[in-house]
Amino acid sequence: MIISIGSDHIVPDIKMKISEYLKSKGHTVIDNGTYDFVRTHYPIFGKKAAEKVASGEADLGVILCGTGVGISNSANKVKGIRAALVRDVTTARYAKEYLNANVIAVGGRITGIGLIENIIDAFLEAQYQPTKENEEIIKGIDSLIKNDEGQFGNEHFFDEFIEKWDNGGYPKE
Ligand code: RB5
């Protein structure tokens, strides 16, 4: 499979471990960054990683920030994305089987790498069950979101916010 991955500056090292793990399993990885510990912000990488999935360039996505909360919320703002923040194998399987999640998020500071690998395995191996009920639920979820004009694929979408971050308008971490 082709897996799109992304993280913020808090856990790029964990992202690299995930990348290596996926490659060792024979998957192709699209790494959307970030690539070092220089302060940036998770929405940029949630958006980038999610858009590869939404466009069909990647089959599925795996994203992470410190807690997984910020980046999963960001990915969920991309039309066509159903991102699930996951901390256990059962939820990972459920997210795919019932909600056809196409991205999973983990907290790189919360969940250990061994469990993250198990979560990824469960998510990739689980098969979506397209029952009438599941299809209706997913249709409802998908109908909630529309991209902002100029959002999809726009590298400059966050420029205004990045300027604020650079000027100390947001927390330091
Ligand atoms: C750092 O920006 C931290 O807030 C982030 O990694 C994440 O934990 C947010 O949910």
Side-chain angles (χ1 to χ4, degrees):
M1 273 189 256
I2 303 175
I3 314 293
S4 176
I5 64 171
S7 78
D8 69 357
H9 59 291
I10 302 291
V11 285
D13 49 341
I14 311 292
K15 174 172 60 71
M16 286 318 295
K17 286 187 176 152
I18 291 173
S19 175
E20 283 155 24
Y21 182 70
L22 287 166
K23 286 178 188 164
S24 79
K25 295 268 176 174
H27 300 293
T28 300
V29 171
I30 303 175
D31 186 346
N32 299 278
T34 191
Y35 305 106
D36 55 34
F37 295 97
V38 176
R39 183 172 166 256
T40 177
H41 218 47
Y42 47 79
I44 299 167
F45 304 96
K47 176 179 183 289
K48 274 188 187 170
E51 284 181 352
K52 301 289 188 325
V53 177
S55 69
E57 202 177 319
D59 298 303
L60 295 168
V62 179
I63 53 176
L64 57 156
C65 60
T67 61
V69 174
I71 203 157
S72 58
N73 274 298
S74 313
N76 270 321
K77 304 297 179 196
V78 175
K79 194 177 174 196
I81 293 303
R82 291 173 301 278
L85 172 56
V86 172
R87 307 225 191 280
D88 63 87
V89 167
T90 304
T91 309
R93 199 174 295 122
Y94 176 90
K96 176 72 107 33
E97 288 180 351
Y98 291 86
L99 301 177
N100 203 10
N102 47 15
V103 173
I104 49 163
V106 292
R109 275 193 177 175
I110 307 292
T111 306
I113 188 66
L115 180 51
I116 291 176
E117 290 175 358
N118 292 342
I119 284 169
I120 290 172
D121 288 344
F123 177 63
L124 298 187
E125 283 162 21
Q127 297 293 322
Y128 170 54
Q129 308 296 321
T131 62
K132 191 166 173 275
E133 202 179 27
N134 290 342
E135 291 282 278
E136 274 170 14
I137 289 167
I138 290 165
K139 205 170 145 199
I141 293 170
D142 285 350
S143 70
L144 289 171
I145 186 79
K146 291 185 177 60
N147 282 330
D148 273 5
E149 204 181 319
Q151 177 181 330
F152 196 90
N154 180 358
E155 287 282 327
H156 299 288
F157 189 71
F158 289 112
D159 282 2
E160 174 194 341
F161 302 101
I162 290 168
E163 205 181 316
K164 272 193 205 161
W165 297 328
D166 288 347
N167 294 329
Y170 292 90
K172 287 281 173 256
E173 263 215 333

